[in-house]
Amino acid sequence: MKLILWLLALFAAAVAVTLAAKNTTGRALIEMPPYQWELPLDQFIIGAVVAFFIFYILVRFILGIFGFSQRHRHKKTDEMLLSGLKAYLEGDYVKSQKNTAVALKLADSSTAKAISAVIAARSAQMLDEAAARDQYINTALAEAPDEKSLCLAAKTEFLLKNENHQEALDILQSLYSEGGLQSTAVLQLELEAQQQAGNWDAVLELIDILAKRQSVNKTLIKKLKHDAQIKNIRSKATDLQSLNQYWQHISPLDKMDSKLSAAAARAYISLGDCNMANKIIESSVPFSWDNELIELYSECLDYHVSRQIECAEVWLRVQPNNAQLLLTLGKLCTYCELWGKAQNYLEASLSVQPGQKAHFALAQLNEKLGKHELAMDHYNKGLQLTLKQLN
């Protein structure tokens, strides 16, 4: 349709020029040393118009050729990139690397170059071709500096797979130095790097930042925070001041978590602070009835054991058939040389749930009472239960 309109316009222009030329007199002199032409003015006008249209058509034709080449290039780039991405998702990493490498060479835009390079690098990573992987990333960094964040994020991920967390953190720091809001993916990479480095305070700070973003899995974030808190407590089990500061910083709601309380109690026990360990246990047990916490209650014993027995006996009224609680009371009474009560609690524990720990506790009690045959019998029963569990 456009061609027909152009032809009609050309025809109308030719008619108009012809009609105008009939009433035009005079001559035109064209001089191009050493040549010289003299033409009637009407012929000159018609010739100039025809030359203009020929020139215009030639320009359009040449631009069309270049435009076709450019469109073909863009189409080929898209085809190779999409084909490479599809192959990557299907696990065909050889084809993925090959096609995205072609797309990387053909691409004009920074975004297309960066995406092609990252997919090619990931494919090379899966094929254990480290040199090719690094070359793709370096090419993208050189040719698509606007997409530096995407390329460096991929490079950081490769470093973390090799557990090279320090170099990964250095790269991330270079990204942060440029300012701006960092993507969720970049923050998650730093989270992994800090986890590998064992920097649990930094891990928890990152988790708090990620928790405010809509694009993250809230359940996963909650689990990551829980695990990081436990590991952070364990990392501070060598310094009482640091442990105190961190435990005070934890919210009352988090302190109600039995696993977190157990980790804190163990840390205080390792530092010899039985008073604090027992306070943590006493605060948590009535809400959780966690057997690990109840067992820890007999792990750190000092001059407060009598009060511990009283506290545990209060718990027993609520949980009369709790085998672990009966075992803990038996150990506490043994420490206070309350032999009769100790034996009753230990035997009651075995009647509820036979366990090697209760047998070993009774064996030690009978040894102290000089009942060596009974002690040996409980040692054997405890050993049999241990071997049964191993099998």
Side-chain angles (χ1 to χ4, degrees):
M1 187 67 183
K2 284 176 113 181
L3 179 60
I4 293 173
L5 291 174
W6 273 109
L7 288 174
L8 289 173
L10 179 61
F11 178 75
V15 171
V17 169
T18 302
L19 292 173
K22 284 183 177 181
N23 301 317
T24 303
T25 60
R27 305 183 69 80
L29 179 64
I30 302 173
E31 187 172 352
M32 294 178 63
Y35 304 104
Q36 185 174 340
W37 295 277
E38 186 175 350
L39 296 171
L41 187 59
D42 56 347
Q43 293 181 14
F44 172 76
I45 293 172
I46 292 172
V49 171
V50 170
F52 170 78
F53 278 106
I54 291 173
F55 175 76
Y56 177 79
I57 290 169
L58 283 174
V59 170
R60 292 276 298 184
F61 178 73
I62 293 170
L63 291 176
I65 292 174
F66 282 106
F68 174 80
S69 176
Q70 193 72 7
R71 288 194 299 273
H72 177 73
R73 183 187 181 101
H74 288 163
K75 183 179 179 181
K76 187 69 173 177
T77 301
D78 293 343
E79 288 177 354
M80 289 293 99
L81 179 54
L82 289 174
S83 175
L85 179 57
K86 180 175 180 289
Y88 180 82
L89 295 174
E90 291 174 345
D92 188 350
Y93 302 116
V94 173
K95 181 179 178 181
S96 175
Q97 182 181 353
K98 179 181 176 182
N99 289 359
T100 49
V102 172
L104 175 60
K105 291 179 181 178
L106 293 175
D108 289 331
S109 71
S110 295
T111 302
K113 281 183 178 292
I115 293 173
S116 300
V118 168
I119 297 172
R122 289 183 183 279
S123 299
Q125 168 77 8
M126 298 303 293
L127 296 170
D128 200 24
E129 297 177 3
R133 175 200 70 197
D134 295 340
Q135 182 60 45
Y136 290 128
I137 295 297
N138 291 335
T139 300
L141 287 171
E143 298 183 9
D146 294 343
E147 300 295 338
K148 180 180 179 181
S149 178
L150 177 63
C151 301
L152 289 182
K155 186 174 182 179
T156 302
E157 186 178 338
F158 301 146
L159 289 168
L160 291 175
K161 286 186 183 296
N162 294 328
E163 297 188 354
N164 191 347
H165 58 265
Q166 188 54 56
E167 189 173 349
L169 287 170
D170 292 341
I171 290 175
L172 292 171
Q173 189 57 47
S174 71
L175 276 177
Y176 296 157
S177 65
E178 296 179 2
L181 183 66
Q182 298 301 323
S183 68
T184 299
V186 169
L187 294 178
Q188 288 173 329
L189 286 171
E190 188 190 355
L191 178 65
E192 184 178 348
Q194 298 290 8
Q195 285 174 323
Q196 289 187 12
N199 298 328
W200 301 110
D201 286 325
V203 168
L204 288 165
E205 288 179 12
L206 285 165
I207 288 173
D208 287 340
I209 295 171
L210 287 168
K212 298 173 184 176
R213 301 207 172 181
Q214 297 295 325
S215 57
V216 299
N217 184 324
K218 302 299 182 182
T219 302
L220 177 60
I221 285 293
K222 186 176 180 180
K223 183 181 182 304
L224 288 172
K225 181 177 181 180
H226 182 263
D227 293 344
Q229 284 178 319
I230 290 175
K231 289 176 180 176
N232 203 16
I233 288 171
R234 290 173 182 169
S235 71
K236 299 180 186 302
T238 56
D239 181 66
L240 184 59
Q241 184 177 357
S242 296
L243 182 59
N244 282 333
Q245 288 176 349
Y246 181 66
W247 185 248
Q248 291 169 6
H249 174 73
I250 294 177
S251 69
L253 183 62
D254 287 339
K255 287 179 180 179
M256 291 178 67
D257 182 89
S258 61
K259 299 305 176 187
L260 208 63
S261 296
R266 286 188 184 279
Y268 277 108
I269 289 171
S270 69
L271 291 168
D273 192 343
C274 296
N275 185 47
M276 188 62 184
N278 290 334
K279 282 183 179 180
I280 292 171
I281 295 169
E282 290 164 5
S283 298
S284 183
V285 166
F287 299 98
S288 65
W289 300 109
D290 185 272
N291 280 339
E292 183 182 5
L293 280 169
I294 294 171
E295 183 179 5
L296 285 172
Y297 202 47
S298 62
E299 293 294 317
C300 197
L301 306 174
D302 55 15
Y303 58 90
H304 292 297
V305 177
S306 297
R307 189 189 60 78
Q308 287 179 253
I309 293 173
E310 292 175 4
C311 183
E313 287 178 336
V314 172
W315 295 341
L316 191 62
R317 294 171 195 164
V318 183
Q319 296 269 312
N321 295 317
N322 189 313
Q324 183 58 61
L325 182 53
L326 290 165
L327 173 57
T328 294
L329 272 166
K331 289 181 177 180
L332 293 173
C333 290
T334 299
Y335 181 82
C336 291
E337 298 182 358
L338 301 173
W339 311 122
K341 288 183 71 173
Q343 185 171 348
N344 290 337
Y345 282 131
L346 294 173
E347 289 175 350
S349 177
L350 285 172
S351 68
V352 173
Q353 182 181 338
Q356 70 270 28
K357 292 182 179 179
H359 277 298
F360 290 148
L362 264 173
Q364 292 169 349
L365 174 62
N366 282 300
E367 271 191 325
K368 292 178 179 179
L369 297 175
K371 300 177 182 179
H372 300 293
E373 290 184 6
L374 276 174
M376 186 57 66
D377 181 55
H378 282 293
Y379 275 128
N380 288 333
K381 289 178 179 178
L383 183 59
Q384 287 173 7
L385 286 173
T386 302
L387 294 174
K388 186 177 180 180
Q389 285 184 351
L390 293 174
N391 293 332

